[in-house]
Amino acid sequence: MCDGLDNDCDDKIDEDVPGTGVACQTGKVGVCAPGVMQCLGGRVQCVANVQPSQEICNNLDDDCNNVVDDRCLTAEEAAKLKNK
């Protein structure tokens, strides 16, 4: 069960919890919407597959603010920032 304990005494905490590992929707927007059910903090919850990031001009809402390509950078500009 999802309770932060090693209930089956195998030195693993909260593994093989029913309902985890399945796709879900986080309720967030953009690329942050899809997620997977995970056991965190003693409860099963939907965790985003992707976290908000720099807005890239790619027809996606990368920063998850419900606006596509607002104040976006080209892929080349973003790569330069990442390498700094």
Side-chain angles (χ1 to χ4, degrees):
M1 68 179 63
C2 183
D3 59 4
L5 302 172
D6 178 14
N7 301 101
D8 58 1
C9 303
D10 65 354
D11 294 325
K12 297 176 187 171
I13 297 173
D14 293 336
E15 84 283 358
D16 301 326
V17 175
T20 61
V22 295
C24 59
Q25 291 295 311
T26 63
K28 298 177 182 176
V29 296
V31 298
C32 299
V36 65
M37 296 301 286
Q38 295 181 14
C39 176
L40 292 175
R43 63 187 188 114
V44 177
Q45 54 190 314
C46 187
V47 177
N49 294 333
V50 176
Q51 296 301 311
S53 63
Q54 171 63 51
E55 191 76 37
I56 307 293
C57 301
N58 58 3
N59 293 319
L60 298 172
D61 181 13
D62 301 295
D63 61 3
C64 304
N65 69 348
N66 210 21
V67 181
V68 173
D69 289 347
D70 60 311
R71 290 174 267 142
C72 62
L73 300 176
T74 66
E76 293 80 21
E77 292 168 329
K80 285 179 186 175
L81 281 178
K82 196 175 199 179
N83 290 331
K84 284 186 176 183

